[in-house]
Amino acid sequence: MRRTSIEPTFQGWREAARGLLAAGVEPRDVLWDEAEGEQPGLDLVDDAPAAAVQATARVPRAFMALAEAAACHSDAERWAILYRVLWRLKHGEPRLMEVAMDPDVHRMLAMEKAVRRDVHKTKAFVRFRAVEGEEGTHYVAWFEPEHHTLERTAPFFAERFASMRWSILTPRRCAHWDGSALWFSEGVPRSAAPSADALEDLWRTYYASIFNPARMKPRAMKSEMPLKYWRNLPEAELIQPLMRDAPARVRRMIEEQSKARPPE
């Protein structure tokens, strides 16, 4: 068994996989190990000629795109699955990515779907809170993504809030934008994030004003906005009262429309 320590990123896995593939190491002989903060190391593959590594690393684009997304999944087996698919592509199954029902391909597709959903939820449910400092206002958000998706999501916020200085804090990693550059740091505990600011009252007022009781669908709402995200949302404390009051508000809306309708 070959123990292979990698930086737990797609780039880290790719560099290691190239070497292992060039050296002819079968997937069943590799034990993948994530080396957080350590110098990654490869057993066996240092002697692999660079040209050979490049030659053996050519794979379908579909695999690379899927592998880059799947690498962000929190499943510890993802590195082994990616290498197993890579090995099969290079050893007699060049059209493997077209077989969606294959167990390995199916796992990759499922991981990519979960990562894509996590990215979507991060974009939807990150809430910044203003923190005043010597350099002015800095906006800080706390979020707990299920997977390693912060690096994939942060450029969205850098583009959308380009004029703000902000940080997104998570248990695994933190993203920071200073108005010109995006950078990352180690994760922090929830206690490092601010708990509230004055803008939240404005946000709650806005949320209550746009809440339409006639279109309320609790099951769909909880599916789109799972309860685990509610604790980080300023508007969450309003949701249950608004839902309880929704039937009465709908009745009042119908009565008001009836009164406003001209007699026939």
Side-chain angles (χ1 to χ4, degrees):
M1 185 66 70
R2 309 285 183 177
R3 177 179 175 273
T4 300
S5 297
I6 62 169
E7 180 184 2
T9 63
F10 175 69
Q11 182 65 26
W13 170 85
R14 184 169 63 176
E15 293 301 320
R18 281 174 171 171
L20 292 167
L21 193 65
V25 182
E26 296 190 25
R28 62 185 179 184
D29 294 329
V30 182
L31 179 62
W32 295 91
D33 181 44
E34 296 185 352
E36 292 278 7
E38 300 177 4
Q39 182 65 33
L42 288 177
D43 297 333
L44 175 69
V45 299
D46 290 345
D47 295 334
V53 171
Q54 294 296 328
T56 54
R58 294 196 183 100
V59 292
R61 290 183 179 179
F63 169 77
M64 294 302 291
L66 199 59
E68 188 168 5
C72 298
H73 200 277
S74 57
D75 190 337
E77 293 186 28
R78 63 194 185 284
W79 309 121
I81 295 170
L82 297 185
Y83 185 60
R84 193 158 58 238
V85 173
L86 175 63
W87 178 270
R88 293 174 62 188
L89 285 168
K90 301 301 295 181
H91 291 82
E93 300 181 73
R95 305 189 70 172
L96 176 60
M97 300 309 296
E98 300 174 17
V99 188
M101 296 306 294
D102 177 88
D104 285 337
V105 176
H106 182 74
R107 288 282 297 276
M108 286 186 66
L109 289 169
M111 287 191 289
E112 185 275 337
K113 182 179 180 181
V115 166
R116 182 157 34 89
R117 177 180 172 83
D118 205 39
V119 169
H120 171 71
K121 296 302 180 188
T122 304
K123 293 177 180 177
F125 299 133
V126 159
R127 297 287 186 270
F128 288 103
R129 293 181 166 106
V131 177
E132 298 301 329
E134 294 181 355
E135 298 181 0
T137 304
H138 194 108
Y139 294 88
V140 182
W142 170 257
F143 197 73
E144 297 172 66
E146 289 187 28
H147 307 290
H148 305 272
T149 51
L150 187 60
E151 280 85 350
R152 291 175 73 86
T153 315
F156 164 83
F157 291 98
E159 181 177 355
R160 185 168 186 177
F161 302 113
S163 62
M164 295 167 42
R165 293 188 308 115
W166 55 258
S167 295
I168 300 176
L169 312 182
T170 85
R172 295 190 180 104
R173 297 276 283 166
C174 299
H176 311 275
W177 173 256
D178 61 8
S180 59
L182 181 65
W183 57 283
F184 297 88
S185 62
E186 296 299 315
V188 296
R190 182 188 179 90
S191 59
S195 57
D197 70 1
L199 292 177
E200 292 189 0
D201 287 338
L202 293 175
W203 173 252
R204 281 189 283 266
T205 299
Y206 169 74
Y207 182 83
S209 70
I210 63 172
F211 183 84
N212 188 340
R215 295 182 178 178
M216 187 186 69
K217 297 179 180 179
R219 182 173 299 180
M221 176 186 291
K222 292 179 180 178
S223 175
E224 177 61 25
M225 187 167 61
L227 294 176
K228 63 183 178 182
Y229 296 114
W230 287 27
R231 60 182 174 175
N232 296 323
L233 302 177
E235 69 270 29
E237 64 185 58
L238 299 177
I239 296 175
Q240 291 295 351
L242 288 170
M243 291 174 66
R244 283 197 299 270
D245 190 45
R249 287 184 62 188
V250 171
R251 286 196 297 271
R252 289 196 296 271
M253 291 168 62
I254 294 174
E255 292 172 357
E256 291 171 359
Q257 289 178 351
S258 298
K259 292 177 182 177
R261 186 178 304 138
E264 297 180 355

